[in-house]
Amino acid sequence: MIRQRTLTAIAAAALLALPLAACTDSGAEEDPTTTQDAPPTADPSDATPQERITASFEASDAAAANGWKDTSYVNDFFVPELAEKQRADDEERASSGAVITGDRALSDWTTVEETDTTAVVEFCDDTSALEATKDGEPVEITNQRGESVGRFTLVKESDSEPWMIKEQGYYDEGTTCDAHFAG
């Protein structure tokens, strides 16, 4: 019994030492240009506008991969007026019988404006890796833009509420991410 307690105490001390060792100065200088993104938050009311937009695309892409059978995600990310429009668009997509899969790449996040209750965010949305199939056969995605610049407006009523997408739009076709975010 004493041996088991000793081993347990040693194991506990080793587990405690790992995080503490990570906090000690190893003598190496940090690169001042290196940044570390915060991990996504579990509580939607704590999520940043960027995290909310990313999560909305992930939910939308998951619905697309399942033929838009479940579009309840719209209530989690969009204000009621935009949620109704998104739901109607998703129902139209579902009636096509197509399924869309692949990876979307979001980058070049820029907060254009942010107050306690409103945020305007621009970003690059690259959908060139998305593919559509219908009855197992490839079909063309008619509105696939490839790389485009999105501009979303989010609102929040209080700190205890999550950011909700109020407006979503894209710059005119031909506006490249490189050119738009170069300045």
Side-chain angles (χ1 to χ4, degrees):
M1 185 70 141
I2 292 175
R3 180 180 170 144
Q4 183 178 7
R5 285 187 188 158
T6 303
L7 291 175
T8 303
I10 292 171
L15 287 174
L16 268 174
L18 288 175
L20 293 175
C23 294
T24 60
D25 184 12
S26 62
E29 289 186 33
E30 289 187 27
D31 181 359
T33 61
T34 302
T35 59
Q36 182 177 359
D37 291 333
T41 58
D43 184 353
S45 65
D46 291 336
T48 66
Q50 176 183 336
E51 290 171 333
R52 292 290 290 164
I53 293 169
T54 300
S56 75
F57 276 118
E58 289 170 352
S60 174
D61 290 348
N66 197 26
W68 292 279
K69 293 176 185 162
D70 178 11
T71 60
S72 61
Y73 74 93
V74 299
N75 298 324
D76 296 333
F77 297 102
F78 299 98
V79 297
E81 302 80 26
L82 191 56
E84 286 305 313
K85 181 186 179 322
Q86 186 70 34
R87 187 174 291 105
D89 290 348
D90 284 356
E91 287 173 6
E92 185 177 323
R93 292 177 186 118
S95 69
S96 74
V99 172
I100 298 179
T101 58
D103 293 325
R104 173 189 306 268
L106 302 171
S107 63
D108 296 312
W109 294 94
T110 304
T111 301
V112 176
E113 173 189 338
E114 187 170 350
T115 66
D116 290 341
T117 59
T118 304
V120 178
V121 179
E122 294 183 347
F123 55 94
C124 183
D125 180 7
D126 185 355
T127 60
S128 59
L130 297 179
E131 298 175 344
T133 58
K134 181 175 179 178
D135 300 325
E137 297 295 319
V139 294
E140 179 183 346
I141 302 174
T142 55
N143 64 345
Q144 186 172 22
R145 301 176 187 180
E147 191 178 89
S148 57
V149 178
R151 181 181 177 103
F152 284 26
T153 300
L154 295 88
V155 294
K156 111 189 270 191
E157 293 181 17
S158 70
D159 286 341
S160 62
E161 297 293 320
W163 288 102
M164 301 297 281
I165 299 169
K166 180 180 179 183
E167 297 172 356
Q168 57 182 0
Y170 288 87
Y171 281 81
D172 292 334
E173 194 170 328
T175 303
T176 66
C177 293
D178 287 342
H180 185 79
F181 293 108

